[in-house]
Structure formats: structure tokens, C-alpha cells
Amino acid sequence: MLNLSGIELASMIVSGLILIFLVIALVVQISLIIKYKQYNKMPLSNGLTAEQTARSLLDANGLQYVQIKKLGFFRRILLLGNHYSVMKKTIYLRTNILNSSSITAVGIATQKVCLAVQHKNKDKSFRFRYILQILTLFTPLLFYGAISAGLVIDILTKFTGIPTLIGLLIGLGFYLLVFIFQIVNIKVEKKANKQTIEILQSSNIFNEQEITTLKNLFKLYILADIIALVLSLLKLIQQILKVFTKLKRK
């Protein structure tokens, strides 16, 4: 039998959990794509398009300055889907959403309006998410920068290995920001989803059946975000275990 240490056993368990959650994430993502397309073929009873609904709701909330634009090629390259841009004060929607009068299209467009409302109201969670989002863009650079700095110090100090490990720990701290960002992101998205349902109900844009359908779609989105959060936590734990493994070998 293998004589495994506690750290090695923990690493194996974490690796196994990562594999399991990757499979779950794939299943949820496939389900989300199917539901997204299915609901995008279900027209609203009032016939309003996503752009018309979003424009009306933005104006009603004093957001006349917020624009609605088609998601361009460059933003698609950056893997940005339908979203609200804080910098541009613009809601970007895919072509199959912008001019559609489906449950998916109008629901998603309204959700982006709710994010714009949070921005206008200076919602604390929304602002914190935006700051973290900017910081996490530089996470890979900061991670490898911290390790490189530790390695340079190691070379200059006859390579004891300690500075490199310290650099690695600092780098992992930056990856912790990604985990925190995902927690805050789920909170912000859930709030926007709830606001969307309330707006669509109170304004009679959706009937009860359409509301139920949209709720199912939103639940899948949040589930996908939660699974991504769990994966981030497991990967962070995996990296920490690697650090302890290296320390143990010193």
C-alpha cells in the first residue's frame, strides 16, 4: 500500500473534487445553453423587444444617459456576453437578444437595467464588485510577478528557497481576490435578478407563466456561478497544499 502523508492525501481528495465539480459545471452549462435557446424562442405576450423594454425602464429610472448597443466583435473576443459597462455607461446585448421579444431577451435586458440602477444608486456591493473586477484582471501578472521577485531574491541570497515560497504565498493572496470577487458577484447578480422579477411583475410586462420561466433561467445562472465559486475555492486550496508540500521537502 502507498504510504501517503496527510498533505498528499488531501491533495488527492481536492483533485478528485475538482474533477467532479468540473463535470457538474459542464452539465449545468449545457442545461443553461439549452434553456437559454429554448426560452429565446418563446415570444412575450406583449411583443416588446429587449431594446424597447430596456430603453423604457432606463428612462423611467432617470437613466436616459445610459445607452443600449449591440455587442461588438471586440467585446465578444474578450469573452464578454450581455453586460452593463460601468466605464461606458452602456448596456451591451447580443444581436439575438437586442431585437428579440422573447422571455430570455427581455429578461436579460431588464436584468442589465437593474445593474445600471445599482450603479446609479451607488450600491456598495456593486461598487466593491467593480473594484475587485479590475484587480482580478491583473491577478495572473501579480501572481507570477510575486513568484519572480521571490526567485530573484533567492538567487541573490544563495537560493534558500524561502523567498520563492513567500513570493508564492503572496501570489496566492492575489488569487484569493478572484474567490472574493465571485462571492460578491453572486450577491450582486442575485439582487439584480430579484429586482428584475419585481419590475417585470409590477409593470405587467411579464405574465405569471413568463415570470416562472424567467426565474428558472436565473436559477441556472446563479447555480453556474456557485459551482464556479466552489471550483475557485478548491483550486486555491490545491495551490496552498502545493506550497505546504514544497515547505515539507525543505
Side-chain angles (χ1 to χ4, degrees):
M1 293 182 65
L2 293 174
N3 185 19
L4 298 174
S5 69
I7 294 176
E8 289 171 330
L9 181 59
S11 295
M12 289 179 62
I13 292 172
V14 170
S15 296
L17 287 172
I18 289 174
L19 182 60
I20 291 170
F21 274 94
L22 282 173
V23 173
I24 295 173
L26 178 61
V27 172
V28 171
Q29 195 61 43
I30 291 173
S31 299
L32 185 54
I33 292 170
I34 292 172
K35 292 296 182 183
Y36 180 97
K37 291 184 177 180
Q38 178 187 341
Y39 297 159
N40 208 29
K41 293 178 182 178
M42 298 171 64
L44 284 182
S45 53
N46 62 17
L48 290 173
T49 67
E51 184 176 16
Q52 290 170 336
T53 304
R55 184 71 271 159
S56 174
L57 293 173
L58 286 169
D59 293 345
N61 284 278
L63 293 167
Q64 291 84 356
Y65 56 86
V66 174
Q67 300 181 71
I68 305 170
K69 293 184 179 180
K70 181 177 72 174
L71 186 68
F73 177 75
F74 180 70
R75 287 180 178 270
R76 285 200 300 270
I77 291 262
L78 293 175
L79 301 178
L80 294 173
N82 305 296
H83 67 285
Y84 168 68
S85 170
V86 173
M87 292 291 292
K88 298 285 187 180
K89 293 184 175 61
T90 300
I91 293 173
Y92 290 95
L93 300 172
R94 295 181 184 276
T95 305
N96 66 338
I97 293 293
L98 187 67
N99 301 314
S100 174
S101 59
S102 70
I103 292 175
T104 294
V106 175
I108 287 176
T110 303
Q111 201 258 8
K112 304 313 170 192
V113 169
C114 291
L115 290 174
V117 171
Q118 288 185 31
H119 182 204
K120 176 194 174 187
N121 294 338
K122 298 180 179 179
D123 183 270
K124 291 181 180 179
S125 294
F126 182 88
R127 294 173 70 181
F128 187 41
R129 181 182 78 158
Y130 178 61
I131 293 170
L132 287 173
Q133 190 173 25
I134 294 173
L135 290 174
T136 54
L137 289 174
F138 301 98
T139 294
L141 180 63
L142 294 170
F143 176 73
Y144 290 110
I147 294 175
S148 298
L151 183 60
V152 169
I153 294 172
D154 246 343
I155 293 172
L156 296 175
T157 57
K158 299 181 180 179
F159 207 80
T160 62
I162 300 300
T164 301
L165 288 173
I166 292 173
L168 182 57
L169 287 170
I170 293 172
L172 289 174
F174 291 121
Y175 267 104
L176 182 61
L177 290 177
V178 177
F179 177 67
I180 296 172
F181 165 73
Q182 288 175 312
I183 293 176
V184 177
N185 182 60
I186 290 173
K187 181 180 179 181
V188 171
E189 291 294 322
K190 284 185 71 175
K191 182 176 181 179
N193 291 350
K194 182 181 178 182
Q195 291 172 326
T196 298
I197 298 299
E198 291 172 351
I199 287 174
L200 294 176
Q201 279 182 320
S202 62
S203 58
N204 295 318
I205 296 175
F206 275 30
N207 59 37
E208 285 305 313
Q209 184 178 354
E210 291 164 346
I211 286 291
T212 300
T213 302
L214 183 62
K215 283 181 178 179
N216 291 334
L217 184 64
F218 282 167
K219 284 178 182 177
L220 275 175
Y221 271 113
I222 294 299
L223 180 58
D225 287 340
I226 291 173
I227 292 171
L229 173 67
V230 173
L231 277 169
S232 291
L233 177 60
L234 289 171
K235 288 177 181 177
L236 181 62
I237 293 172
Q238 186 182 53
Q239 293 301 320
I240 291 172
L241 288 172
K242 286 181 179 179
V243 171
F244 280 115
T245 301
K246 289 182 179 180
L247 284 171
K248 186 179 178 182
R249 291 172 181 170
K250 293 296 177 182

